[in-house]
Amino acid sequence: MLSEWIESFLRHIAAEKSYSENTVMAYRNDLMQFAAFLDGDQTTLTQNQIQTYIDELYERHYASSTIARKVA
């Protein structure tokens, strides 16, 4: 289910928002990484899950600007 939501969002930003292919691919990479972190089909998302993901990104030494993009 989560992958379907991601694909729907990517189609939307490509078709309706006319985002470039590079931008769509960047969103795809970020969202698929987050989906892998969640490890399964999610129908709800908690603030704790998001904070844990952000904490993991910092632990992996991602730059603050990269983390901001991934969260946005």
Side-chain angles (χ1 to χ4, degrees):
M1 166 127 2
L2 185 56
S3 62
E4 292 172 15
W5 291 344
I6 291 171
E7 291 304 321
S8 176
F9 172 73
L10 295 172
R11 284 190 303 273
H12 169 73
I13 64 172
E16 302 297 324
K17 299 289 188 176
S18 300
Y19 283 19
S20 73
E21 185 177 334
N22 286 341
T23 300
V24 173
M25 291 306 297
Y27 273 103
R28 178 185 306 282
N29 291 337
D30 291 342
L31 290 169
M32 295 307 285
Q33 183 180 12
F34 185 53
F37 167 79
L38 293 173
D39 192 34
D41 287 335
Q42 297 286 318
T43 55
T44 60
L45 185 61
T46 67
Q47 185 174 354
N48 186 51
Q49 288 171 305
I50 296 168
Q51 186 60 55
T52 301
Y53 180 64
I54 293 168
D55 292 344
E56 181 178 299
L57 294 174
Y58 276 109
E59 288 173 11
R60 296 168 95 190
H61 304 287
Y62 279 87
S64 296
S65 58
T66 300
I67 294 171
R69 189 199 72 233
K70 289 179 176 293
V71 172

